């Protein structure tokens, strides 16, 4: 008998994306899409122009008081977002 090297489709696709240099942009997109789920719909309603640059998530907040409160809890949201995508994508969040 011979032994088969069985791998999951997810592993094969992620390896292929990594080789092509597309894994990080895909994970960044997943992280941005996860924002309303992680922070909640009310906070997401006041969030605009989310983007990732140099491992920092930039979020434009339309409500200054909410921006101040979220700034105090940003490390908590960094951990939750990274856990959601199951990868270390961001190290900080900048609320503008």
């Amino acid at each position: 008998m011979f032994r088969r090297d069985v791998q999951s489709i997810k592993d094969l696709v992620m390896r292929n994306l990594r080789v092509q240099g597309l894994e990080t942009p895909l994970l960044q997109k997943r992280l941005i899409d996860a924002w309303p789920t992680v922070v909640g719909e009310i906070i997401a309603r006041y969030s605009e122009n989310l983007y990732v640059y140099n491992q920092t998530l930039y979020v434009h907040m339309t409500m200054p008081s909410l921006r101040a409160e979220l700034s105090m809890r940003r490390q908590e949201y960094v951990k939750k977002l990274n856990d959601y995508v199951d990868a270390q994508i961001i190290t900080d969040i900048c609320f503008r």
Side-chain angles (χ1 to χ4, degrees):
M1 290 190 115
F2 60 93
R3 190 173 187 180
R4 292 186 180 170
D5 186 20
V6 179
Q7 297 176 357
S8 71
I9 300 253
K10 177 185 175 187
D11 292 339
L12 293 172
V13 169
M14 291 306 283
R15 184 178 326 133
N16 190 25
L17 288 173
R18 190 175 307 121
V19 167
Q20 294 178 9
L22 299 173
E23 180 184 31
T24 302
L26 176 67
L27 292 174
Q28 289 175 352
K29 174 71 171 126
R30 283 186 187 165
L31 186 129
I32 290 171
D33 290 344
W35 177 256
T37 305
V38 171
V39 299
E41 290 297 324
I42 294 173
I43 294 173
R45 192 176 311 148
Y46 296 104
S47 305
E48 297 177 344
N49 303 333
L50 280 80
Y51 64 94
V52 177
Y53 182 73
N54 285 341
Q55 291 188 330
T56 301
L57 176 64
Y58 291 90
V59 182
H60 182 305
M61 299 301 296
T62 58
M63 186 179 227
S65 59
L66 187 59
R67 178 180 1 160
E69 182 172 336
L70 291 175
S71 292
M72 291 184 282
R73 299 176 58 189
R74 71 177 183 241
Q75 290 304 319
E76 174 186 341
Y77 288 122
V78 166
K79 182 175 180 348
K80 285 182 179 181
L81 286 165
N82 284 329
D83 289 345
Y84 190 88
V85 295
D86 199 29
Q88 180 69 28
I89 302 299
I90 60 172
T91 57
D92 197 13
I93 300 176
C94 180
F95 296 101
R96 296 179 169 210

